[in-house]
Each structure stands twice: as structure tokens, then as C-alpha cells.
Amino acid sequence: MQITSTVVSLTVEDATTSAAFLQRHFGYTEQMSADGFVSLGHPGGGVDVVYLRRGLEVLPENQRNRTADGVILAFNVQDIAAEEKRLRGEGVEITLPLRVEPWGEKLFQVADPNGVVVELVEWVKV
């Protein structure tokens, strides 16, 4: 098997608000959209993100009312302190303050309007 790209598909209450959050604060661009569906890509590469509106009839019936609860969308970045400062300056609430784990992971978290957790991570030598 050859994997040509990676996409995370998240079901949320309002696909357009989650998509707008990633576009505004993380540099994602809309690749395509339709009623209840937004597909995003990032010019720097990495994972593409698709948001689906909860209840969308194209989803299998047993998946229609599930949401992305408990999912963490994590991005590895450089200069995490600068990213935290930038996001604070843009009015984004930091839901988990910047911290350093004993194994060398610096991280902080924010949440999009639908509650999807976005974690920024920078690895440092310990």
C-alpha cells in the first residue's frame, strides 16, 4: 500500500465555524465545500482536515450523530512560545497553558468553536 496523503475527518455541530477557525488561526485553506462539509489543506503540508456537520445524511446512520469529542488535533511547530503569544494576541483562549513534560514535549491547547481540541507541540531535548 502506498499512502499518498493523510486526512482527518471530524464530525462537529457546525463545520463552517471549525473550518474558519483553522483558516484564521492556523493557515489552512479551503479545498472544497458543500452543505455540511468543508475540506481543508495546509500549504506547509501535513494532515488535511475535513469537517462534517453532525447529522449529515451521507454519513452511515450509526455515525451521523457522533462528534469529535475526545479527539486532539495536534500540530508540531517551531517556536511554540511565539505561537502561544500569537494566538493569545488573536483572542484565542488557551485552554491548557504552555507546559513542558519531563520527556521533552512542550505543549499547549486551544479549542475551536465546536470544542475540538487543537494542541501545539514542540519537542525539546531534556
Side-chain angles (χ1 to χ4, degrees), residues 65-87:
N65 291 308
R66 293 183 178 178
T67 61
D69 186 45
V71 171
I72 297 175
L73 189 56
F75 300 130
N76 290 322
V77 300
Q78 295 178 344
D79 198 355
I80 196 165
E83 292 299 331
E84 183 193 33
K85 182 178 179 181
R86 176 185 64 81
L87 289 168

Side-chain angles (χ1 to χ4, degrees), residues 45-104:
V47 67
D48 291 343
V49 178
V50 169
Y51 288 107
L52 301 169
R53 182 184 67 237
R54 189 177 66 80
L56 201 59
E57 291 184 9
V58 299
L59 291 170
E61 191 171 341
N62 67 341
Q63 294 177 16
R64 286 184 194 155
N65 291 308
R66 293 183 178 178
T67 61
D69 186 45
V71 171
I72 297 175
L73 189 56
F75 300 130
N76 290 322
V77 300
Q78 295 178 344
D79 198 355
I80 196 165
E83 292 299 331
E84 183 193 33
K85 182 178 179 181
R86 176 185 64 81
L87 289 168
R88 283 186 190 277
E90 293 174 2
V92 176
E93 178 185 356
I94 307 300
T95 56
L96 178 68
L98 182 61
R99 66 185 195 198
V100 180
E101 300 292 357
W103 52 87

